[in-house]
Amino acid sequence: MASIQTSPLFSSKRVNASFHVPKLPRASDVVQLRGSVPFMSATNSTTQLHNSLYNSPPNSNSTTTIKLYSILEVVADRVEMHKNVGEQRDNWNNLLLKNINMITLSASTLIAIAATFGYEGAPLLPLKISSSLLFSAATAMLLIMNKIQPSQLAEEQRIATKLFRMLQSEIQTTIAIGNPTEEDVNGFTEKVLALDKSYPLPLLGVMLEKFPAKYEPAVWWPNTKLQFQRKSKSAKHGIMEKNNGWSEELEIEMREIIEVIKRKDTEDYERLGNIALKVNKTLAIAGPLLTGVAAIGSGFVGNGSVTDIVTAMAGSMAAAINTLEHGGQVGMVFEMYRNCGGFFKLMEETIECTLEEKDVEKRENGKVFEMKMALRLGRSVSQLRQLASKSASGIHVDEFASKLF
């Protein structure tokens, strides 16, 4: 029960209230709280940060934080750009697929009509010219569509949006933990540039190769190996453990996880990626080839020969193949496999670079690192340890069997 003093105009007695009225902060307190908020709104966050730090004494920490907020604004802009462009390119795929199929099927219908009335001596020249033009237009549009692969372009932008959002969260976490360094600024800058290079927005000049010679996993992190020359954030903030949470058993576990990734996930995605690439190449060639055959054959329709059947079948098959390639989004599936392969490659490099650092105090905390690896693989820590132990026992059995035989 809260006691509220009433105004002298009514009574000098105290009145007992059945609810508690929260005490509002003063204006000066609000100003102080605004300066201590770790995350600000996306709009004008750098300007607000300048204002909040303006009266504080100049130091490297304040400058570094301002730089991180500037990078954060750029990353937020990239997220919005990739999201919008991805929706646009997905719309391209739907519109081109429907229009090309409509053109192809319309031309095939004209061919069927011409073949039917050709035996009665009806004039066929308008039908032949119309079908030939439609098939030629479908061939040209298919060549362009198969070259740029709109479904794969849309998937690239979806992946880029996800990766930039992850980078945005990482920067926000770094700011929230506090004490950022110039190494953090340089590292995030390199990651932004690497992402821009791996998933470009323009089409002309910098578009990714849609039909490479063989499957290669996507790489969206800096080319140089990750640097683990500084202590982890947890060590800086007082979470000190013996050997920084690392042990010989944990190192063996991480090495076994690398072997599991190489033997299972990496090989599977490489095999599936090569299959998707071959299927996409075959369909991309077959579609325009069939419409081209139909465009040539439409000039000989109506003579009562096999040409009528071949031309009509070529047009119908072209529509079916185009639907399978772009309606089934085979290019998107290939890009998805590339991204999954890149994810496991990044995990391999992260674990290897961490274990190469001999000074355990300069590594990330072992328990935190193990938890992160487990969650990225969709497992709990105990499940990750079981996976590593099963892998180790399986390797020992294979080695024993090889010695026997």
Side-chain angles (χ1 to χ4, degrees):
M1 301 291 288
S3 177
I4 303 178
Q5 180 69 39
T6 59
S7 172
L9 294 175
F10 296 95
S11 174
S12 60
K13 297 182 179 179
R14 303 177 67 87
V15 179
N16 292 327
S18 60
F19 57 89
H20 295 274
V21 180
K23 183 179 179 181
L24 298 177
R26 294 174 299 176
S28 59
D29 294 335
V30 174
V31 174
Q32 293 176 3
L33 287 173
R34 285 175 58 87
S36 62
V37 175
F39 298 115
M40 299 181 180
S41 61
T43 57
N44 299 326
S45 60
T46 305
T47 304
Q48 294 179 17
L49 186 64
H50 271 288
N51 294 336
S52 64
L53 299 176
Y54 182 77
N55 295 323
S56 61
N59 54 66
S60 58
N61 243 3
S62 301
T63 305
T64 304
T65 305
I66 293 173
K67 290 180 180 179
L68 286 180
Y69 271 106
S70 300
I71 298 174
L72 188 61
E73 286 183 353
V74 173
V75 172
D77 180 65
R78 293 287 198 282
V79 170
E80 191 65 25
M81 290 173 63
H82 282 284
K83 180 176 177 292
N84 294 338
V85 172
E87 292 175 354
Q88 178 195 55
R89 291 176 177 177
D90 188 52
N91 195 32
W92 286 0
N93 185 63
N94 294 329
L95 291 176
L96 287 172
L97 173 62
K98 293 176 182 178
N99 290 335
I100 292 175
N101 278 351
M102 184 65 67
I103 291 172
T104 305
L105 293 175
S106 299
S108 300
T109 303
L110 292 178
I111 291 298
I113 295 173
T116 301
F117 290 97
Y119 303 106
E120 301 178 1
L124 303 178
L125 185 60
L127 294 176
K128 290 181 179 181
I129 294 176
S130 299
S131 61
S132 180
L133 289 176
L134 287 174
F135 277 127
S136 300
T139 303
M141 295 174 69
L142 265 178
L143 287 172
I144 297 174
M145 188 177 185
N146 292 347
K147 174 65 178 177
I148 66 175
Q149 292 288 316
S151 66
Q152 188 171 345
L153 288 173
E155 180 65 13
E156 290 173 7
Q157 304 313 310
R158 283 192 287 266
I159 293 172
T161 302
K162 180 193 73 173
L163 294 175
F164 271 112
R165 281 176 176 164
M166 291 173 61
L167 183 59
Q168 185 179 23
S169 299
E170 189 178 350
I171 297 173
Q172 290 175 339
T173 303
T174 302
I175 297 173
I177 292 175
N179 295 328
T181 63
E182 283 296 324
E183 292 180 359
D184 295 326
V185 174
N186 296 333
F188 287 129
T189 302
E190 291 177 1
K191 288 181 180 180
V192 171
L193 297 177
L195 270 172
D196 282 339
K197 183 178 179 181
S198 299
Y199 295 100
L201 284 168
L203 285 177
L204 301 177
V206 294
M207 185 177 69
L208 297 179
E209 177 60 43
K210 298 298 179 287
F211 301 100
K214 63 177 182 177
Y215 165 87
E216 292 288 344
V219 178
W220 60 83
W221 55 93
N223 293 329
T224 56
K225 286 189 175 182
L226 299 176
Q227 301 297 320
F228 295 95
Q229 300 300 321
R230 63 180 184 273
K231 292 184 179 180
S232 66
K233 296 292 183 181
S234 58
K236 287 182 180 180
H237 286 79
I239 305 178
M240 301 299 295
E241 298 180 5
K242 185 179 180 181
N243 294 328
N244 198 23
W246 286 91
S247 63
E248 185 178 356
E249 291 78 10
L250 180 56
E251 291 189 0
I252 295 174
E253 176 189 335
M254 289 296 109
R255 289 192 174 93
E256 293 299 333
I257 294 301
I258 293 177
E259 295 301 322
V260 172
I261 291 174
K262 288 181 179 179
R263 288 199 317 271
K264 295 184 178 180
D265 301 285
T266 303
E267 290 183 1
D268 286 345
Y269 282 112
E270 183 177 359
R271 176 177 56 83
L272 294 172
N274 283 318
I275 292 174
L277 179 60
K278 291 177 182 178
V279 171
N280 200 28
K281 283 182 179 180
T282 303
L283 296 177
I285 295 172
L289 181 62
L290 288 172
T291 53
V293 170
I296 297 173
S298 60
F300 303 95
V301 172
N303 298 326
S305 61
V306 185
T307 308
D308 301 350
I309 301 175
V310 172
T311 304
M313 287 182 61
S316 301
M317 290 178 63
I321 288 175
N322 185 41
T323 302
L324 178 61
E325 180 185 6
H326 299 289
Q329 298 188 342
V330 182
M332 180 273 292
V333 174
F334 172 69
E335 184 60 33
M336 181 184 65
Y337 288 147
R338 285 184 68 247
N339 176 255
C340 292
F343 168 77
F344 288 108
K345 183 178 180 181
L346 176 60
M347 288 198 65
E348 289 179 30
E349 290 188 8
T350 303
I351 297 174
E352 288 173 353
C353 291
T354 302
L355 296 179
E356 285 176 2
E357 177 57 63
K358 301 303 180 183
D359 188 357
V360 294
E361 295 300 328
K362 292 183 179 180
R363 299 178 185 175
E364 186 175 5
N365 182 270
K367 293 182 179 179
V368 175
F369 186 80
E370 183 185 24
M371 182 191 68
K372 287 168 62 176
M373 294 300 106
L375 292 177
R376 288 180 183 178
L377 291 173
R379 300 172 182 268
S380 64
V381 175
S382 60
Q383 290 174 337
L384 187 70
R385 292 172 182 172
Q386 291 176 3
L387 177 65
S389 62
K390 290 180 181 179
S391 172
S393 60
I395 292 175
H396 295 327
V397 170
D398 293 340
E399 291 177 351
F400 180 73
S402 64
K403 290 180 181 178
L404 288 178
F405 299 100

